[in-house]
Amino acid sequence: QVRLVESGGGLVQPGGSLRLSCEASGTIRSIRVNAWNWYRQAPGKQLELVASLTSGSSEDYADSVKGRFTISGDKSGNTVYLQMNSLKPEDTGVYYCNLDGDSMTSAQAQDYWGQGTQVTVSS
């Protein structure tokens, strides 16, 4: 089993920055990672894919955050970050980390989620 724990959320003024972290623990070495993803869910809205980091180190972003958010990973492969700059009130929501992979033994799809961290952008 793999456990994902997000941190770094909080209250920030418009124009400010936050850095979210997602740390994986457990049997992550048994997973062939396809992508790390950050999703968010704003109040009353559907879950939205914000940023992705593939195993080939390709990055992809929602149009609403391009140029402001950056996804990255550490060398251990256990932690992923989301640097969020120039934050806007519409960035408010619960941010979730997601690991999309396959089992190295069974090839079965593996999909793990963190518990979420609240980001509130308000003056």
Side-chain angles (χ1 to χ4, degrees), residues 2 4 28 31 33 35-37 97-101 110-112:
V2 174
L4 303 180
I28 189 170
I31 305 296
V33 177
W36 289 93
N37 303 302
C97 177
N98 165 249
L99 170 59
D100 172 11
Q110 304 290 311
D111 193 34
Y112 295 98

Side-chain angles (χ1 to χ4, degrees), residues 43-123:
K45 294 190 176 180
Q46 290 187 332
L47 198 62
E48 174 190 20
L49 177 59
V50 173
S52 294
L53 179 64
T54 70
S55 58
S57 299
S58 295
E59 300 169 27
D60 195 22
Y61 300 93
D63 288 342
S64 58
V65 307
K66 278 181 182 176
R68 301 188 297 120
F69 290 12
T70 303
I71 187 171
S72 63
D74 72 351
K75 292 182 179 180
S76 72
N78 290 346
T79 304
V80 175
Y81 306 98
L82 185 67
Q83 178 67 43
M84 306 186 295
N85 299 326
S86 303
L87 283 161
K88 305 175 181 180
E90 51 264 42
D91 294 318
T92 295
V94 179
Y95 284 70
Y96 297 92
C97 177
N98 165 249
L99 170 59
D100 172 11
D102 303 299
S103 168
M104 287 188 177
T105 55
S106 69
Q108 188 174 16
Q110 304 290 311
D111 193 34
Y112 295 98
W113 292 83
Q115 82 288 353
T117 185
Q118 176 71 45
V119 171
T120 302
V121 184
S122 175
S123 54

